[in-house]
Amino acid sequence: MLDPLYTAAEARAAEEGHEVAELMERAGAAVAREVMQRFPDVRRIAVVCGGGSNGGDGRIAARILREEGRDAVETTAVEQADVIVDALFGTGFHGEPREEASATIERINAAGAPVVSVDVPSGVDASTGEIGGAAVRATLTVTFHGRKLGLAIAPGLFHAGEVVVADIGLEPAETEHRLVTPAILSLVPRKRAEDSKYSAGAVLVAGGAPGMTGAACLAAEAAFRADAGYVAVAVPEQSLPVVEAKLLEPVKLTWAAAGDAAAKAGALAIGPGLGRDAAAKALRDELLAAGEQKLVLDADALHELEPGEWGARAVLTPHAGELGRLIDEGSAWVDAHRLEAVRRCSERFGCVCLLKGADTIVATPAQGVLVVLAEAPGLATAGTGDVLTGILAAFLAKGLDPRLGAAAATTAHGLAARLLPQRGLVAGDVISALPAVLS
């Protein structure tokens, strides 16, 4: 359920004790094979090679392509090529390319031909996904032995294109960071014959300020569709008529009753439509201190949040802007340094931090990160974060620990979205698809 994601150092360690020339021959052959399979009719192939082993892989690929009758030439004159093989930099690269290399990368990107990158697109840091300057935008990346962490974390993720992992004869190795697979959903407890609605997972959703009742409703509906047995929703008194009309199954309460309701819940989802006034902050702080329930803090619950003793029970679910405010950075900085940002947040609050995105990253203090690739662009729409909050609260209430619960909830969220047409998708559609994913 957790596949390895290799840093550059881990990839080097996996190669220790092996003959370099033999590994390069296998790597070059794998690249040539993918080029021939993906582009069987092309003739002119420009192979852009650097000076290191990555360049050596590219030269071997060019030789094999020529042996197969293709016009494969090592060159930086890529403008007339049908396919470009990018073997400029490998996993050892970090920082910003020098001026000449940057110019070559820009020529590759401007050529308009499909690009096959060798191991990692040139300019992408294999260990972080960060980009310090120009970086190749690949159509396909052929990476060796295992996926590199920088191919799974943005912005590197968005430069990698399709990723193919080629076996070059190395033994599997333990890695600090892991890629989550759909098999993680096998950890979500199923309802048993002896369960009551409370033992099957009881959730309290707190939020729903006037004008934002939809957020609380989406979270509550998602918690039920994620197989919770009992869901209550606490909203301001003036929002109660709206929520009464919208929701059928959940119990509806006012904020004044939230503290007592929390005692019956296994997990609290605080934040969907909560608002940022004094009453909202007071409710958040009251619920943080209410007991030993597991916590999901989202949206407005993250505003002006300070670390507390509740951290070990909590999952924070920020987007880039919210996470930036939690660690005193701008959202653009977070987007450029997602791995560092989410780990800083997790360490500061002593909790699980789930940084949302196409590469959702789950960070836990003193542990490697878990990465979930959504592969569902339709999730970029209002309300889907509230749906994720509801799923996560249900999974925590059903007994999953915060780290694996966050990874499992994100996986279910993405799989449900992938069942649907991506254009015109709305948050409620994702909720309706959850039972099929969890069946």
Side-chain angles (χ1 to χ4, degrees):
M1 66 185 66
L2 300 174
D3 287 345
L5 287 171
Y6 288 83
T7 64
E10 290 167 341
R12 286 193 299 272
E15 295 172 0
E16 290 179 359
H18 293 266
E19 180 63 42
V20 173
E22 184 177 346
L23 293 179
M24 289 175 62
E25 190 71 26
R26 293 173 186 167
V31 172
R33 182 169 58 250
E34 289 295 334
V35 170
M36 290 186 289
Q37 290 177 351
R38 301 302 179 99
F39 310 102
D41 300 323
V42 303
R43 308 304 303 172
R44 296 171 297 178
I45 303 168
V47 185
V48 183
C49 298
S53 59
N54 192 256
D57 298 339
R59 293 182 183 94
I60 291 169
R63 188 202 75 214
I64 295 172
L65 288 167
R66 287 193 295 271
E67 292 170 354
E68 295 294 328
R70 308 300 179 92
D71 179 14
V73 180
E74 181 185 344
T75 181
T76 58
V78 299
E79 287 75 12
Q80 302 304 314
D82 299 318
V83 171
I84 302 168
V85 175
D86 158 38
L88 191 57
F89 300 137
T91 57
F93 172 84
H94 62 89
E96 183 175 355
R98 294 178 180 176
E99 185 175 349
E100 182 178 354
S102 292
T104 299
I105 290 171
E106 296 294 356
R107 291 176 73 180
I108 291 171
N109 288 339
V115 178
V116 178
S117 283
V118 177
D119 217 4
V120 178
S122 294
V124 172
D125 189 312
S127 298
T128 65
E130 294 179 8
I131 293 172
V136 167
R137 288 193 171 273
T139 309
L140 171 72
T141 297
V142 183
T143 197
F144 310 126
H145 181 54
R147 189 188 290 254
K148 308 307 180 291
L149 181 61
L151 300 177
I153 293 182
L157 169 68
F158 302 132
H159 284 251
E162 181 184 353
V163 176
V164 171
V165 178
D167 181 4
I168 57 171
L170 301 176
E171 292 297 317
E174 286 297 315
T175 60
E176 180 182 7
H177 311 294
R178 311 285 286 187
L179 181 69
V180 180
T181 75
I184 198 170
L185 295 182
S186 66
L187 298 180
V188 181
R190 291 179 175 271
K191 289 174 180 169
R192 305 161 298 174
E194 61 267 32
D195 272 328
S196 70
K197 61 186 178 183
Y198 293 109
S199 66
V203 173
L204 171 66
V205 177
M212 298 183 288
T213 53
C217 292
L218 286 168
E221 291 175 330
F224 260 134
R225 289 298 186 183
D227 209 33
Y230 174 90
V231 180
V233 183
V235 298
E237 187 170 356
Q238 58 267 47
S239 296
L240 198 57
V242 177
V243 177
E244 287 277 18
K246 172 63 178 173
L247 295 178
L248 181 62
E249 292 88 355
V251 173
K252 279 74 70 175
L253 309 164
T254 65
W255 282 0
D260 291 337
K264 300 178 182 179
L268 313 182
I270 310 170
L274 183 67
R276 298 181 178 181
D277 62 15
K281 292 176 182 176
L283 176 64
R284 177 195 66 192
D285 294 343
E286 176 191 355
L287 293 178
L288 290 180
E292 295 303 314
Q293 303 92 340
K294 294 174 185 174
L295 305 167
V296 184
L297 301 181
D298 184 33
D300 290 334
L302 302 174
H303 183 64
E304 297 182 350
L305 183 68
E306 294 294 332
E309 295 181 358
W310 46 264
R313 299 181 282 121
V315 181
L316 311 188
T317 62
H319 55 58
E322 291 164 338
L323 189 144
R325 288 188 286 274
L326 291 171
I327 60 172
D328 298 320
E329 299 284 0
S331 60
W333 185 91
V334 172
D335 285 335
H337 306 86
R338 287 176 62 81
L339 180 63
E340 179 183 348
V342 70
R343 298 187 87 174
R344 276 176 54 183
C345 181
S346 175
E347 294 290 344
R348 182 186 177 209
F349 287 90
C351 69
V352 173
C353 184
L354 183 161
L355 175 55
K356 292 182 281 196
D359 58 328
T360 294
I361 310 173
V362 178
T364 310
Q367 294 190 59
V369 302
L370 303 178
V371 182
V372 182
L373 299 181
E375 300 177 304
L379 285 172
T381 191
T384 55
D386 303 307
V387 173
L388 176 60
T389 293
I391 300 169
L392 176 51
F395 286 3
L396 297 184
K398 292 170 78 66
L400 286 185
D401 72 76
R403 181 175 186 251
L404 293 178
T410 307
T411 300
H413 190 240
L415 289 174
R418 293 211 296 271
L419 292 178
L420 304 163
Q422 296 302 292
R423 299 191 74 175
L425 181 149
V426 297
D429 299 335
V430 180
I431 295 173
S432 66
L434 284 170
V437 168
L438 298 173
S439 63

